[in-house]
């Protein structure tokens, strides 16, 4: 198969396992084959992880790719989404001199433990970075919780600065857990949805030991509609309850009607503010 082929970025069937200056190595979650994508999502090589990594080294020399250095923000999307939701936040983070990696993972194809294994691999192979912070959206905070509940090599190599969780899943999502009981929805939503019942989430320890800021938002209209039709509700959570559950340093509430919450400028600004100052 020839290289130099434009891709759509692999949002649903590929998992990012390496990132450097907008170049990525992705692994197909089924075949386990890897591919090297440049900053335009053009495939430059295909093969094993090590083969793609060696190919990238050649491109560093050929294209004189600048060395990355310093503090990187790792962005983790929610169920059924891709890294593209973070574009507004990613641009703002770069303006404030952060490096930023919005990470794709096949959120509707694997369970939370499997997603955490991908992120451990990704972080273990993060190069020329000394400090990391995390931004999660929705169910992305469950992957973070899993990451911090286990010891990994990257935790010794990298300084962990701060976390911002936007609309975190702290009391489950009874609607998605209910829908996952039916085969058509289970096929679309994947294994993660079945793990989101209120009872199951209540058993999780969300206290990571890292300075954390929470941005709570209102439920989207589509969620309210389905909850009304199906009579399955997920209780709202107050800032006080959220702080108690997570041990967060600061909590704020921002109402938004944007389909993508990161199209809300204030959410992006408050996220970067906490990452810089430790407060909203």
């Amino acid at each position: 198969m020839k290289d130099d082929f434009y891709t759509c970025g692999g949002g649903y069937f590929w998992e990012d396992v390496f990132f450097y200056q907008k170049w990525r190595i992705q692994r197909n979650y089924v075949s386990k084959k890897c591919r090297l994508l440049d900053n335009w999502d053009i495939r430059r090589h295909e093969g094993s992880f090590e083969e793609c990594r060696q190919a990238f080294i050649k491109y560093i020399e050929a294209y004189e790719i600048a060395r990355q250095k310093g503090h990187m923000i790792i962005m983790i999307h929610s169920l059924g989404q891709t890294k593209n939701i973070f574009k507004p936040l990613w641009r703002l983070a770069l303006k404030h001199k952060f490096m930023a990696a919005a990470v794709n993972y096949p959120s509707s194809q694997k369970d939370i433990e499997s997603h955490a294994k991908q992120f451990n691999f990704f972080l273990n192979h993060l190069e020329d970075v000394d400090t990391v912070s995390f931004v999660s959206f929705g169910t992305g905070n469950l992957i973070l919780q899993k990451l911090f509940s286990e010891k990994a090599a990257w935790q010794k190599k990298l300084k962990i600065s701060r976390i911002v969780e936007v609309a975190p899943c702290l009391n489950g999502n009874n609607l998605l857990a209910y829908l996952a009981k039916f085969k058509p929805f289970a096929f679309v939503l994947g294994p993660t949805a079945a793990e989101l019942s209120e009872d199951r989430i209540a058993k999780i320890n969300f206290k990571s030991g890292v300075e954390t800021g929470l941005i709570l938002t209102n439920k989207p209209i589509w969620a309210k509609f389905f909850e009304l039709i199906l009579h399955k509700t997920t209780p709202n959570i107050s800032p006080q309850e959220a702080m108690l559950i997570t041990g967060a340093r600061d909590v704020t509430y921002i109402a938004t009607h944007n389909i993508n919450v990161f199209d809300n400028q204030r959410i992006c600004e408050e996220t970067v503010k906490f990452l810089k100052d430790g407060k909203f």
Side-chain angles (χ1 to χ4, degrees):
M1 188 177 293
K2 295 182 178 180
D3 299 325
D4 301 336
F5 176 79
Y6 179 78
T7 72
C8 295
Y12 297 99
F13 302 103
W14 295 82
E15 47 191 24
D16 291 350
V17 291
F18 178 82
F19 179 93
Y20 200 103
Q21 293 290 50
K22 304 178 188 177
W23 287 62
R24 291 176 287 149
I25 296 176
Q26 293 186 322
R27 181 173 59 201
N28 186 282
Y29 90 97
V30 177
S31 69
K32 306 304 179 183
K33 290 183 178 180
C34 293
R35 64 184 186 181
L36 172 67
L37 303 186
D38 68 11
N39 55 326
W40 295 101
D41 284 338
I42 295 174
R43 188 187 64 216
R44 296 296 184 177
H45 195 79
E46 193 172 55
S48 68
F49 176 78
E50 287 302 327
E51 288 170 344
C52 289
R53 197 171 181 180
Q54 290 301 314
F56 175 62
I57 292 174
K58 294 179 181 179
Y59 279 110
I60 289 177
E61 298 173 354
Y63 290 170
E64 297 182 350
I65 299 172
R67 184 174 179 176
Q68 65 183 16
K69 182 180 179 181
H71 189 163
M72 178 173 283
I73 303 171
I74 309 297
M75 302 177 182
I76 306 175
H77 59 77
S78 189
L79 177 62
Q81 299 173 332
T82 73
K83 68 179 180 64
N84 292 332
I85 68 165
F86 290 114
K87 282 184 178 179
L89 177 62
W90 179 83
R91 295 188 188 102
L92 184 61
L94 295 184
K95 287 182 180 179
H96 285 268
K97 308 303 180 184
F98 287 103
M99 294 185 292
V103 182
N104 264 337
Y105 67 98
S107 61
S108 60
Q109 306 300 323
K110 301 167 74 173
D111 60 19
I112 292 169
E113 183 175 0
S114 298
H115 296 320
K117 288 180 179 178
Q118 173 199 335
F119 276 87
N120 272 321
F121 188 97
F122 178 93
L123 291 162
N124 283 334
H125 291 85
L126 198 58
E127 297 180 0
D128 297 330
V129 173
D130 52 48
T131 305
V132 290
S133 288
F134 296 89
V135 175
S136 67
F137 175 61
T139 57
N141 77 310
L142 301 177
I143 297 173
L144 269 182
Q145 182 277 332
K146 191 66 178 177
L147 279 177
F148 284 100
S149 68
E150 301 173 350
K151 293 182 179 180
W154 65 269
Q155 295 171 351
K156 297 180 180 179
K157 180 180 70 171
L158 300 171
K159 177 184 176 183
I160 304 169
S161 182
R162 297 187 174 103
I163 295 171
V164 175
E165 298 179 357
V166 180
C169 183
L170 297 178
N171 54 359
N173 190 313
N174 289 332
L175 173 61
L176 292 182
Y178 174 75
L179 292 174
K181 295 179 180 179
F182 301 94
K183 288 185 178 180
F185 289 103
F187 177 77
V188 173
L189 296 173
T192 295
E195 300 180 271
L196 300 181
S197 67
E198 185 179 355
D199 292 341
R200 187 163 184 167
I201 298 300
K203 298 176 182 178
I204 294 177
N205 174 21
F206 286 100
K207 296 178 180 178
S208 65
V210 179
E211 283 188 11
T212 300
L214 305 180
I215 299 179
L216 306 181
T217 65
N218 51 296
K219 289 182 183 179
I221 294 176
W222 67 264
K224 293 180 180 179
F225 173 77
F226 278 107
E227 286 183 347
L228 180 64
I229 296 297
L230 299 173
H231 303 289
K232 294 289 180 181
T233 61
T234 297
N236 291 319
I237 190 166
S238 70
Q240 293 76 19
E241 290 173 319
M243 186 171 286
L244 183 64
I245 292 170
T246 63
R249 181 171 181 176
D250 201 0
V251 181
T252 189
Y253 176 86
I254 302 175
T256 180
H257 298 291
N258 299 94
I259 296 175
N260 176 13
V261 300
F262 295 101
D263 286 332
N264 183 304
Q265 185 176 357
R266 188 183 165 205
I267 287 178
C268 293
E269 289 174 346
E270 291 296 325
T271 297
V272 172
K273 186 176 186 297
F274 186 89
L275 293 175
K276 291 177 65 178
D277 304 329
K279 60 182 180 180
F280 294 119

